[in-house]
Amino acid sequence: MEENSKSVITVNTSLAKIEKQIAIGEKIINKTIEELFNKAFRLINSKKIDIDSNYNYLSDFLKDETLLDSEKFSFVVQNEEDYIQALELFDKIIELNGSFKLAYYFKGIVLQRIHLIEESINFISRAIEIDKEFIMAIVKRVELLEEKFEFDLALNDCNNLIIFKPDCAEFYHTRANVLFSLDKKIESINDYNISLELDNTNIRVYNNLGRTYKSLGNDKLAKENFNKAIRLVEENVIVDNKNAKFHYYIGYAKWQLDEFTTSLESLNKAIQINSDYESAINIRAIVNKELNNHIEAINDYKKYLELNPLDFITYNSLGFLYYQKTREFEKAKDCFTKAIDLNHSKSNPTYKNSHYFRSNVRKILGDVNGSNEDYMVYQKFETKN
C-alpha cells in the first residue's frame, strides 16, 4: 500500500510539473502572439494615436470587438512594404495558434488593401468559421462580396447579421443596399424604412432611399428623402464643419437632385478636407462629366483608380470619356481593355458595354478584325439578355 501511495504521489507530481510546463509554454506563446499582433497593427494603422508605442491594441480588441470598427483606425498606409511586413507577422501568429480569429481577420483586411480580394475573402471566411457570430468579419465579407458583384452571397451574410442583431439599424441598411444591387427595389425600400424606424438620424439611409425612389421614377419621394438628408447634414455641419463626410452627403444629394454646381461645391469641400476620399472623388468625376468639365472628370477618375486599381466600372467610364469627349482613342482602348480584363463577373452589363465601346474604338484605329471580335462578344451577351 505504501509503495502504491508513493507511486501515485510521483505520478501526480510529474503531471503537475507537465501542467506547469504547458501553462508556462502557453503563457510564452500568448505573450509572443500579443507582441506580434501589436507590431503588425502599428504597421497598418495610419491614424497615429498619441499614446505609448507599446500600447496593447490586442488587449482592447479582445475586451471589445466593436473597436474593430472604430474611427481611430484607418488601414491605409503610404508604404506598401508595411503591408507585406504585417502579412508576415499575421502568418507567424497563425502558425502559433491556428484558431486565432483576429489574425485571419486582419490578414484579410491587409489583403483587401493590396487588392487581393479573393484571398481576402478566404481569410475573412476562415475567421468566421472559427467564430460563426464574428459580426465585424461578416460585415467585412459583405463589403468584399459586393466588390466582386457576388450579391446573392452578400445577401446570405446580411440575413445572418439581422438574425444575430435584429435591432441593428445599420444591418437593415446594408441589406437594403444589397437588395438594390440585386434589382429588388421594393424589398430594399422596406429595409431602408425599417432602418429608419430604428434610427431616423442616418443621413446615408435617406440618400440611398432617395436614390431607390428615383430609380423607380418616383421623383416626389426621391426629392423628399434627399432634402431630409440635406437638412440633417446642415444641422451637423453647424457643429462640425471639418467633417468631410457631411460635405460629401450634401454633394451626393445635390448630385441626385441634378443640382450639379452646388454638388460640386460640397464635394470640393469634402476632398479639401480628405484628399483621398474615394466616394467623393468618384461622385465628383460624375458631376464634372455632367458639367462638361471633361479634363477634371478624367483627372478625378485617374485619382480614384490610384486608390482602387481594380475598379473595372471606373476604367469603363474613363475609357468612355477618352472615346467620346477627348477623342484619345488609344487611351480609350487601353481603358476598355483593362475594364474587360478586370471584370470577372461577365453577367455584369459593364462587360458587354466595354466590348461594344472597344469595338467602336478599334474600328476607328483601323483594327477591323479586333473590332469584329469585340462586337461578336457584345452581340452574344446582348442576345442572352
Side-chain angles (χ1 to χ4, degrees):
M1 284 290 289
E2 191 175 326
E3 286 181 8
N4 288 339
S5 296
K6 286 180 179 178
S7 298
V8 170
I9 291 168
T10 303
V11 169
N12 287 340
T13 302
S14 298
L15 286 171
K17 285 181 180 178
I18 291 168
E19 287 173 356
K20 186 176 180 181
Q21 287 170 347
I22 290 170
I24 291 169
E26 286 178 349
K27 190 173 181 181
I28 291 170
I29 289 171
N30 289 339
K31 184 65 177 174
T32 304
I33 287 173
E34 182 181 284
E35 290 171 355
L36 290 170
F37 182 92
N38 289 326
K39 185 177 179 182
F41 193 83
R42 277 192 289 275
L43 284 168
I44 63 173
N45 176 29
S46 64
K47 288 193 176 180
K48 305 304 178 188
I49 306 170
D50 187 20
I51 52 177
D52 185 351
S53 61
N54 294 318
Y55 187 80
N56 192 340
Y57 293 104
L58 179 58
S59 175
D60 279 358
F61 289 140
L62 291 175
K63 289 174 190 170
D64 183 4
E65 283 184 4
T66 61
L67 287 173
L68 297 175
D69 195 34
S70 172
E71 290 190 1
K72 290 191 297 182
F73 312 124
S74 175
F75 309 117
V76 182
V77 296
Q78 296 301 316
N79 183 2
E80 289 214 358
E81 283 300 311
D82 289 347
Y83 283 138
I84 305 305
Q85 287 183 49
L87 287 174
E88 291 170 357
L89 292 167
F90 288 128
D91 279 336
K92 287 179 182 177
I93 295 172
I94 290 167
E95 285 175 19
L96 290 168
N97 182 350
S99 297
F100 194 74
K101 67 180 185 181
L102 287 179
Y104 291 100
Y105 175 78
F106 279 108
K107 184 171 181 182
I109 295 284
V110 175
L111 289 166
Q112 180 192 22
R113 296 314 307 179
I114 58 176
H115 311 293
L116 297 173
I117 303 302
E118 192 64 47
E119 292 89 338
S120 175
I121 290 173
N122 290 339
F123 279 92
I124 297 292
S125 296
R126 179 69 185 109
I128 296 167
E129 286 171 16
I130 294 166
D131 179 359
K132 296 286 190 294
E133 297 187 23
F134 189 0
I135 298 294
M136 293 312 304
I138 299 172
V139 169
K140 175 55 66 176
R141 188 165 68 180
V142 170
E143 177 188 324
L144 292 165
L145 289 168
E146 286 183 289
E147 280 191 48
K148 289 193 68 194
F149 290 84
E150 295 183 6
F151 298 114
D152 286 317
L153 292 175
L155 182 59
N156 289 337
D157 275 342
C158 289
N159 291 337
N160 286 330
L161 287 170
I162 288 169
I163 289 169
F164 295 143
K165 284 196 169 183
D167 58 347
C168 179
E170 187 56 29
F171 292 163
Y172 288 98
H173 179 208
T174 302
R175 188 171 71 176
N177 290 337
V178 172
L179 287 166
F180 178 88
S181 298
L182 286 166
D183 205 28
K184 297 180 178 181
K185 292 174 183 174
I186 301 303
E187 291 176 53
S188 76
I189 287 171
N190 290 336
D191 270 354
Y192 286 133
N193 284 325
I194 293 171
S195 180
L196 289 171
E197 286 172 13
L198 294 165
D199 176 11
N200 64 2
T201 64
N202 192 325
I203 299 159
R204 291 176 302 136
V205 180
Y206 288 111
N207 267 337
N208 288 329
L209 186 52
R211 171 198 63 175
T212 308
Y213 279 124
K214 184 177 180 180
S215 71
L216 291 169
N218 191 332
D219 292 338
K220 181 175 180 293
L221 286 177
K223 188 174 182 179
E224 183 180 306
N225 280 281
F226 289 132
N227 284 327
K228 280 181 183 176
I230 290 167
R231 282 196 299 273
L232 276 173
V233 175
E234 287 172 345
E235 291 170 11
N236 284 286
V237 167
I238 292 168
V239 178
D240 186 3
N241 192 44
K242 297 296 183 183
N243 191 322
K245 285 190 298 187
F246 294 146
H247 296 291
Y248 166 71
Y249 293 150
I250 289 179
Y252 180 93
K254 293 288 187 181
W255 162 56
Q256 289 282 6
L257 290 166
D258 297 335
E259 297 176 20
F260 301 123
T261 302
T262 50
S263 171
L264 185 60
E265 290 170 3
S266 292
L267 293 168
N268 285 340
K269 287 177 185 175
I271 295 165
Q272 283 169 8
I273 296 166
N274 179 0
S275 61
D276 289 338
Y277 197 156
E278 297 173 13
S279 299
I281 293 166
N282 188 37
I283 299 300
R284 189 173 71 174
I286 298 169
V287 170
N288 271 319
K289 187 168 63 173
E290 292 287 350
L291 291 168
N292 293 318
N293 301 332
H294 300 136
I295 301 304
E296 290 85 350
I298 285 170
N299 289 335
D300 278 337
Y301 278 137
K302 286 165 72 174
K303 173 63 176 176
Y304 182 80
L305 286 168
E306 287 176 18
L307 300 168
N308 293 278
L310 301 183
D311 192 320
F312 59 85
I313 291 176
T314 301
Y315 273 110
N316 194 66
S317 299
L318 180 56
F320 187 80
L321 276 174
Y322 282 135
Y323 164 45
Q324 287 281 10
K325 302 302 179 183
T326 64
R327 314 300 281 173
E328 297 173 83
F329 300 120
E330 283 290 349
K331 288 181 179 179
K333 185 186 78 171
D334 291 344
C335 286
F336 292 133
T337 299
K338 194 79 174 174
I340 290 164
D341 291 344
L342 290 171
N343 189 350
H344 302 300
S345 177
K346 292 179 173 53
S347 61
N348 187 281
T350 305
Y351 185 77
K352 68 172 184 177
N353 291 340
S354 297
H355 277 286
Y356 176 77
F357 292 127
R358 191 173 70 173
S359 171
N360 293 345
V361 170
R362 279 177 156 176
K363 189 174 181 179
I364 292 168
L365 291 169
D367 181 5
V368 177
N369 290 335
S371 175
N372 289 338
E373 287 172 10
D374 273 329
Y375 193 72
M376 285 174 67
V377 174
Y378 166 74
Q379 278 193 316
K380 177 183 171 184
F381 285 94
E382 184 71 5
T383 303
K384 276 185 182 179
N385 294 329

